[in-house]
Amino acid sequence: MGNGWEYKCEKCNEEYFFFLGVGMLYNITQEELEKKVRAGKYGKKRKQKLEENSLYHISAVRKLYVCPRCHKPKVDYDLSVVEGDDFFSDDKQVMCYTHRCSDCKVELKSYTATTFSDCKESLLCPKCNGLLKDVGRLFWD
């Protein structure tokens, strides 16, 4: 089960939903992401790392990524290579995936459902740069 939050821009009223964590389709999503990695979509090094050990997998956990410069959020899959299925905190991260801001080109800071409160007051609207306000919490599966 995952956690989610609904946000609304104070300036343009655009609504955003941040669904973080793991849902029922985790294994299917993980398989689709691994196909893309094996096809080279995420680079040659990631493809090689995934193929070097049958215990390695791509993390399909959804995280919130926020630009430290412009504070614009985006939800994406972790995409790190892990040993294990990434459902458990003792899974070993083998190769990290660096998410970058499409505007600023800097590395994004990641937040999980448990660390989301560290950033939730400073999120800006990707559309108009207005401040995003918390509308409510959601649970998803």
Side-chain angles (χ1 to χ4, degrees):
M1 170 160 292
N3 291 292
W5 291 264
E6 180 181 1
Y7 271 73
K8 191 172 189 177
C9 178
E10 288 184 331
K11 196 172 178 182
C12 72
N13 290 321
E14 190 75 23
E15 291 181 318
Y16 297 91
F17 297 90
F18 305 123
F19 295 105
L20 309 180
V22 176
M24 288 178 58
L25 297 177
Y26 181 86
N27 291 332
I28 293 168
T29 304
Q30 184 182 52
E31 289 173 13
E32 289 173 11
L33 290 170
E34 288 181 6
K35 284 179 189 174
K36 290 178 182 178
V37 169
R38 285 190 170 88
K41 180 176 179 180
Y42 294 102
K44 191 176 186 178
K45 288 181 183 178
R46 183 162 310 283
K47 177 182 175 182
Q48 289 172 337
K49 183 59 78 176
L50 182 64
E51 292 173 346
E52 79 181 33
N53 187 326
S54 64
L55 298 177
Y56 291 171
H57 300 281
I58 295 298
S59 173
V61 171
R62 293 169 58 96
K63 294 183 178 180
L64 177 69
Y65 295 91
V66 180
C67 179
R69 197 174 287 165
C70 69
H71 301 280
K72 291 181 182 174
K74 83 170 189 172
V75 174
D76 201 354
Y77 298 106
D78 179 7
L79 300 173
S80 294
V81 177
V82 296
E83 187 173 355
D85 60 14
D86 206 37
F87 276 96
F88 306 103
S89 59
D90 61 345
D91 286 341
K92 178 182 172 189
Q93 187 178 72
V94 178
M95 182 181 203
C96 181
Y97 183 83
T98 303
H99 293 265
R100 296 202 174 274
C101 178
S102 58
D103 295 331
C104 303
K105 309 300 183 218
V106 298
E107 185 176 341
L108 301 177
K109 182 151 174 54
S110 69
Y111 297 92
T112 63
T114 55
T115 61
F116 180 73
S117 61
D118 295 344
C119 73
K120 68 184 215 169
E121 303 299 322
S122 63
L123 299 174
L124 297 181
C125 178
K127 187 175 178 181
C128 74
N129 283 339
L131 186 63
L132 295 180
K133 284 296 185 182
D134 190 348
V135 175
R137 192 155 182 197
L138 311 160
F139 295 99
W140 66 280
D141 201 17

